[in-house]
């Protein structure tokens, strides 16, 4: 017997909800009543790009203003079935992504809140609004024919990385009425995520970034001919800078503003370049810095081929659109992550470089960058430099640590604002020789809050005098923290960078991650000279698969105290960090190739405490992995020590070992004889 089809009562739900909105005299607009507004345009563009996928547009839209004159888009989605209000994941977050970090349209289409949160993310991506109210409403008729409804109200914002937070319990829409809206917004503003919750969301978003970057890079590589690797880097940098905007001063560049004209001064490249110039002017970067950025990007943006229109569209507009559509959401929600570092690593994943070159440009994982920063004792008052900056991942980690420390210790809002500005403008310095990589470093720091003023395009070994590159160019940069992941093909595996940087510092600490052979024989002369002036505090053996998929080298972290001669009796802390708590894989289709399987975050924190305070902080590690010993300052090749094995085997243990070996040897002989007899029989 065929099952009776369950009828949706969505029209009844819509009538009930829209009746409420009318009674509050709110200007709701149904999907069919298109408004030529930023919101409607963003939703239209978003769903045109995604081909609909069954998810059209919200059933009702509002733009409400509180007494402080702040606007809040409100998106409402109705579903007329029981138990279709919201679908949450195991962390009680709205589950709108699949295991492969792709949109879960099954949930988006079926559940009211999931649909509304999905639409809200479209606004975060494609409009200037950063705080959005997403409402889902569903219901059913009970056995008496009465409509039973449920409402889910979620806040979707840059603050929660677009994930959405439940605001509270509501039985109707009266919280949207003008007389109640201020108190509702106060309730919204009181929401907060714990650091653990925020870290989980960031981790999830970073996995999405990796998937999106891989897709974008392969798309450009396969379908956009004639673009070299430098061109791709510059186009990504130019597109992102042009679409960042500055509220009230520089409007973000929209795709529609690119007309694919070929007339002089009005090509798509000219338009993007004008927007970049306006952005950099308002950012008040030093003139020399602005000129360098513009000159670098202009060469790619204004070439004839990339601006030539085919079928009414230039290659530049096509690439610009791909970049904004695939990446826009991530830099608009303000993720404090090494965004361009991930981009940088993905690009080099499919470019035809030799293995040695790949090893030289490999990205330091963000959690390792943070470890280096903490080992170098970085705080709000530190002056941090990096002599092989790459995409600025280490400086981003340092800046984040400095800003966190400032927020935790400065209680005056005015003083905090001044300190934050000083950290970004004056307390970070990076040097990068390769122009394309340098441009990524600039972009990375701009995205993280514009700490780009002292990223220098120089050779740190021969062309840097220790002074600020921009701004206070006559003053020495007062570095007291040095962090580094050098190119391993450099002299002494990169210890030449270490000697150079430490020699220009008066005090402080340094933490470097480097190929382990640097401490066991490949950099003897550098190491001996370094120890004549500086103290080696710790030697940390890192996991062999730390750079899995990118490089195959064993690395160590070395920690130094600056400007204090290493004496032969100075204690060095040797730590075997081979088990850092993470399990890594290199599966291309895996949703996550890094899993915390053994208290990884706690282990990284313990390493910092062990280096600073000693074995009293042992918890996850044992004395088998932690050893305090000495080195010979005149040796230079004894930096990678492990705990001596003092145990003397007993006679019983020796007999057992010999017996096991003999048993194995006899077994092997018998197996070989059996094979030979089998072959003769055949």
């Amino acid at each position: 017997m065929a099952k009776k089809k369950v009828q949706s009562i969505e029209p009844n739900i819509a009538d009930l909800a829209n009746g409420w909105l009318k009674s509050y005299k709110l200007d709701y607009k149904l999907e069919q009543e298109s408004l030529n507004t930023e919101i409607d345009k963003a939703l239209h563009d978003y769903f045109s790009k995604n081909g609909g996928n069954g998810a059209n547009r919200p059933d009702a839209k509002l733009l409400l203003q509180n007494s402080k004159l702040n606007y809040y888009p409100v998106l409402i989605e109705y579903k007329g079935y029981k138990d279709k209000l919201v679908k949450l994941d195991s962390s009680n977050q709205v589950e709108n992504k699949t295991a492969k970090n792709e949109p879960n349209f099954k949930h988006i289409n079926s559940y009211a809140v999931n649909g509304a949160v999905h639409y809200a993310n479209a606004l975060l991506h494609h409009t200037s609004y950063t705080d959005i109210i997403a409402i889902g409403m569903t219901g059913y008729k009970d056995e008496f024919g009465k409509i039973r409804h449920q409402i889910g109200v979620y806040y979707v914002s840059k603050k929660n990385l677009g994930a959405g937070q439940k605001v509270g319990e509501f039985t109707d829409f009266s919280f949207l009425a003008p007389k109640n809206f201020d108190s509702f917004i106060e309730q919204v503003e009181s929401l907060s995520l714990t650091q653990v919750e925020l870290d989980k969301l960031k981790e999830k978003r970073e996995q999405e970034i990796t998937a999106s970057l891989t897709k974008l890079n392969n798309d450009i590589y396969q379908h956009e001919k004639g673009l070299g690797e430098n061109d791709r880097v510059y186009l990504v940098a130019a597109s992102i800078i042009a679409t960042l905007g500055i509220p009230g001063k520089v409007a973000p560049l929209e795709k529609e503003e690119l007309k694919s004209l070929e007339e002089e001064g009005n090509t798509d490249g000219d338009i993007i370049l004008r927007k970049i110039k306006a952005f950099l002017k308002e950012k008040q970067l030093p003139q020399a810095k602005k000129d360098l950025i513009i000159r670098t990007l202009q060469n790619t943006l204004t070439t004839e081929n990339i601006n030539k229109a085919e079928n009414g569209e230039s290659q530049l507009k096509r690439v610009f659109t791909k970049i904004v559509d695939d990446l826009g959401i991530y830099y608009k929600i303000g993720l404090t992550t090494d965004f361009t570092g991930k981009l940088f690593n993905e690009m080099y994943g499919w470019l035809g470089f030799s293995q040695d070159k790949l090893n030289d440009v490999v990205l330091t994982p963000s959690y390792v960058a943070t470890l280096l920063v903490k080992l170098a004792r970085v705080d709000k008052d530190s002056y941090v430099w990096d002599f092989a900056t790459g995409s600025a991942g280490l400086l981003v980690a340092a800046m984040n640590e400095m800003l966190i420390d400032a927020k935790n210790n400065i209680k005056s809002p005015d003083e905090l604002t001044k300190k934050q500005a000083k950290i970004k403008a004056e307390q970070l310095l990076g040097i990068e020789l390769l122009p394309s990589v340098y441009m990524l470093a600039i972009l990375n720091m701009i995205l993280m809050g514009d700490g780009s003023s002292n990223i220098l395009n120089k050779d740190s070994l021969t062309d840097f005098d220790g002074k600020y590159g921009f701004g206070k160019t006559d003053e020495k940069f007062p570095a007291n923290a040095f962090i580094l992941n050098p190119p391993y093909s450099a002299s002494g595996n990169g210890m030449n960078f270490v000697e150079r940087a430490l020699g220009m510092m008066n005090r402080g600490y340094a933490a470097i991650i480097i190929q382990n052979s640097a401490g066991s024989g490949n950099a003897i002369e550098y190491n001996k000279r370094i120890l004549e002036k500086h103290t080696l505090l710790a030697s940390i053996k890192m996991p062999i698969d730390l750079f899995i998929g990118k490089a195959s080298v064993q690395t160590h972290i070395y920690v130094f105290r600056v400007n204090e001669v290493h004496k032969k009796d100075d204690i060095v802390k040797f730590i075997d960090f081979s088990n850092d708590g993470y399990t890594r894989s290199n599966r291309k289709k895996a949703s996550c190739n890094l899993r915390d399987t053994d208290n990884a975050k706690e282990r990284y924190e313990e390493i910092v405490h062990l280096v600073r305070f000693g074995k009293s902080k042992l918890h996850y590690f044992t004395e088998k992995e932690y050893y305090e010993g000495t080195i010979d300052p005149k040796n230079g090749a004894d930096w990678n020590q492990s705990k001596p094995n003092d145990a003397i085997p007993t006679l019983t243990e020796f007999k057992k070992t010999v017996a096991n070996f003999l048993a194995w040897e006899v077994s092997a002989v018998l197996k070989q004889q059996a094979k030979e007899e089998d072959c003769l029989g055949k």
Side-chain angles (χ1 to χ4, degrees):
M1 183 174 173
K3 288 185 178 180
K4 183 178 178 182
K5 186 177 181 181
V6 179
Q7 295 293 323
S8 169
I9 60 164
E10 186 172 332
N12 306 73
I13 294 295
D15 290 343
L16 176 63
N18 293 332
W20 292 335
L21 297 177
K22 285 182 178 178
S23 70
Y24 312 139
K25 296 182 171 55
L26 296 175
D27 184 23
Y28 76 97
K29 295 291 180 182
L30 295 181
E31 175 193 351
Q32 291 81 6
E33 302 178 44
S34 179
L35 294 169
N36 187 23
T37 64
E38 184 183 15
I39 292 174
D40 274 289
K41 181 176 175 298
L43 290 170
H44 178 270
D45 288 352
Y46 183 78
F47 292 110
S48 295
K49 173 184 176 289
N50 286 282
N53 288 293
N56 296 312
R57 293 161 71 189
D59 295 308
K61 307 180 296 292
L62 303 97
L63 187 60
L64 305 183
Q65 191 178 35
N66 68 352
S67 60
K68 295 180 181 178
L69 304 182
N70 296 321
Y71 280 102
Y72 296 86
V74 180
L75 305 178
I76 308 173
E77 178 70 2
Y78 308 130
K79 299 293 179 189
Y81 296 100
K82 188 177 181 179
D83 300 326
K84 292 296 182 182
L85 182 65
V86 63
K87 179 67 174 175
L88 302 175
D89 61 20
S90 59
S91 301
N92 279 326
Q93 297 294 332
V94 176
E95 191 172 9
N96 277 358
K97 293 285 185 178
T98 66
K100 295 181 179 179
N101 283 314
E102 296 172 348
N104 191 329
F105 286 108
K106 180 180 179 182
H107 293 169
I108 292 164
N109 297 335
S110 301
Y111 293 90
V113 167
N114 295 63
V117 169
H118 183 62
Y119 306 140
N121 270 272
L123 296 195
L124 279 182
H125 188 164
H126 294 286
T127 73
S128 58
Y129 296 107
T130 58
D131 300 280
I132 300 148
I133 309 302
I135 302 173
M137 181 174 174
T138 189
Y140 65 96
K141 286 183 179 179
D142 63 16
E143 64 270 29
F144 304 107
K146 184 176 180 180
I147 294 177
R148 303 288 184 181
H149 68 271
Q150 289 180 290
I151 297 172
V153 182
Y154 282 70
Y155 172 54
V156 180
S157 167
K158 282 180 64 174
K159 296 174 185 175
N160 55 45
L161 307 184
Q165 291 171 269
K166 187 175 181 179
V167 180
E169 300 292 339
F170 301 92
T171 57
D172 60 22
F173 288 171
S174 58
F175 62 90
L176 296 176
K179 64 179 182 179
N180 300 323
F181 193 61
D182 273 359
S183 60
F184 169 71
I185 292 302
E186 286 178 12
Q187 186 178 353
V188 166
E189 290 176 344
S190 70
L191 295 174
S192 62
L193 291 169
T194 67
Q195 192 58 48
V196 172
E197 290 171 329
L198 195 57
D199 286 344
K200 282 185 178 179
L201 287 176
K202 286 179 179 177
E203 207 169 286
K204 194 173 180 181
R205 281 298 199 182
E206 288 184 11
Q207 291 169 16
E208 293 173 26
I209 289 174
T210 300
S212 294
L213 289 172
T214 303
K215 175 178 173 292
L216 173 68
N217 288 331
N218 283 306
D219 190 10
I220 294 177
Y221 180 66
Q222 292 172 13
H223 300 116
E224 300 299 338
K225 305 305 179 185
L227 298 177
E229 57 263 26
N230 285 1
D231 291 325
R232 289 192 281 274
V233 171
Y234 298 150
L235 287 176
V236 170
S239 299
I240 292 175
I241 292 173
T243 53
L244 282 174
I246 299 175
K249 295 181 178 179
V250 180
L253 182 65
E254 301 292 340
K255 292 176 284 188
E256 293 71 22
E257 295 179 61
L258 301 182
K259 305 297 184 182
S260 298
L261 301 176
E262 295 185 42
E263 64 183 56
E264 187 176 349
N266 281 310
T267 65
D268 290 340
D270 293 326
I271 294 169
I272 294 174
L273 203 57
R274 283 198 293 269
K275 187 63 70 173
I276 291 171
K277 289 178 180 178
F279 175 87
L280 295 176
K281 181 180 179 182
E282 289 297 334
K283 278 293 184 181
Q284 298 181 336
L285 294 184
Q287 189 61 44
K289 170 71 66 177
K290 287 188 288 187
D291 291 344
L292 181 59
I293 295 172
I294 291 167
R295 186 167 63 248
T296 303
L297 297 178
Q298 187 170 12
N299 291 335
T300 295
L301 289 173
T302 57
T303 55
E304 183 178 346
N305 286 341
I306 202 172
N307 284 285
K308 186 182 296 182
E310 292 183 13
N311 300 318
E313 185 179 55
S314 70
Q315 184 183 41
L316 179 52
K317 180 175 182 178
R318 197 164 57 244
V319 172
F320 176 88
T321 300
K322 289 175 182 176
I323 292 167
V324 174
D325 285 347
D326 286 352
L327 304 182
I329 181 66
Y330 303 116
Y331 58 80
K332 285 196 174 183
I333 60 177
L335 274 174
T336 51
T337 184
D338 183 13
F339 179 91
T340 55
K342 288 181 178 293
L343 171 66
F344 173 80
N345 226 23
E346 288 300 324
M347 280 187 163
Y348 278 82
W350 45 260
L351 291 177
F353 286 122
S354 66
Q355 188 61 42
D356 285 343
K357 185 64 176 175
L358 280 172
N359 286 348
D360 270 2
V361 299
V362 69
L363 168 71
T364 310
S366 59
Y367 56 94
V368 177
T370 300
L371 174 64
L372 292 175
V373 166
K374 290 182 176 181
L375 289 172
R377 306 190 188 185
V378 170
D379 60 25
K380 63 181 174 60
D381 298 317
S382 296
Y383 284 78
V384 186
W385 62 10
D386 178 354
F387 273 36
T389 298
S391 64
L394 297 183
L395 290 182
V396 168
M399 183 173 72
N400 288 339
E401 192 69 22
M402 295 162 80
L403 293 174
I404 290 169
D405 187 54
K407 187 175 181 180
N408 290 340
N409 290 287
I410 299 176
K411 304 308 176 186
S412 163
D414 285 347
E415 286 183 24
L416 178 60
T417 300
K418 290 177 183 176
K419 184 60 176 177
Q420 289 169 334
K422 183 175 181 179
I423 286 170
K424 295 173 183 178
E426 297 181 13
Q427 292 179 226
L428 297 157
L429 187 146
I431 310 166
E432 175 54 48
L433 179 62
L434 299 175
S436 58
V437 179
Y438 167 76
M439 187 51 59
L440 275 173
I442 291 289
L443 175 60
N444 209 9
M445 297 303 284
I446 286 176
L447 283 170
M448 295 302 116
D450 192 15
S452 64
S453 294
N454 283 286
I455 306 291
L456 316 181
N457 186 201
K458 291 186 175 184
D459 186 328
S460 56
L461 298 175
T462 61
D463 194 28
F464 177 59
D465 59 3
K467 294 181 180 179
Y468 281 94
F470 301 95
K472 302 187 290 185
T473 52
D474 292 332
E475 294 184 25
K476 290 279 187 182
F477 183 81
N480 56 16
F482 174 56
I483 46 181
L484 180 74
N485 179 3
Y488 301 156
S489 63
S491 183
N493 289 143
M495 290 303 291
N496 53 344
F497 287 91
V498 180
E499 182 183 22
R500 173 76 171 165
L502 298 188
M504 301 173 80
M505 298 171 65
N506 294 322
R507 62 187 178 89
Y509 295 87
I512 67 166
I513 184 166
I514 197 166
Q515 199 167 350
N516 73 326
S517 53
S520 60
N522 273 14
I524 290 175
E525 296 307 316
Y526 290 109
N527 294 351
K528 289 195 292 186
R529 289 197 297 268
I530 287 170
L531 295 181
E532 287 173 1
K533 298 180 179 179
H534 316 287
T535 302
L536 178 65
L537 297 178
S539 170
I540 305 167
K541 181 181 180 181
M542 299 303 287
I544 186 66
D545 59 353
L546 191 67
F547 298 104
I548 189 168
K550 302 296 180 184
S552 54
V553 292
Q554 175 66 63
T555 56
H556 268 64
I557 289 177
Y558 300 126
V559 184
F560 301 90
R561 183 186 293 117
V562 176
N563 218 14
E564 186 174 309
V565 179
H566 191 108
K567 305 292 179 59
K568 64 183 180 63
D569 293 325
D570 278 330
I571 295 298
V572 179
K573 294 161 185 172
F574 298 97
I575 306 173
D576 185 349
F577 199 25
S578 299
N579 176 19
D580 69 345
Y582 284 118
T583 298
R584 301 170 182 82
S585 64
N586 191 30
R587 294 173 296 157
K588 291 184 178 179
K589 294 185 179 180
S591 59
C592 178
N593 284 326
L594 180 73
R595 292 181 294 117
D596 185 342
T597 53
D598 190 8
N599 302 291
K601 292 181 176 63
E602 292 80 5
R603 285 174 176 270
Y604 273 80
E605 196 64 29
E606 186 169 322
I607 288 291
V608 176
H609 293 153
L610 286 172
V611 170
R612 188 155 190 179
F613 305 115
K615 66 180 179 181
S616 64
K617 296 299 181 179
L618 284 172
H619 178 67
Y620 292 98
F621 296 95
T622 68
E623 292 194 26
K624 290 182 179 179
E625 295 134 326
Y626 177 85
Y627 162 61
E628 293 184 354
T630 61
I631 60 173
D632 179 1
K634 303 297 184 183
N635 185 313
D638 57 351
W639 290 15
N640 302 339
Q641 299 182 31
S642 57
K643 189 177 182 68
N645 187 359
D646 298 327
I648 300 174
T650 64
L651 180 60
T652 301
E653 289 171 334
F654 175 72
K655 288 179 178 179
K656 184 178 179 181
T657 301
V658 171
N660 288 338
F661 173 73
L662 291 174
W664 171 82
E665 194 172 45
V666 169
S667 174
V669 169
L670 291 174
K671 286 180 181 177
Q672 183 62 32
Q673 286 178 348
K675 286 182 181 178
E676 291 173 356
E677 289 171 1
D678 188 43
C679 289
L680 290 171
K682 290 179 181 177

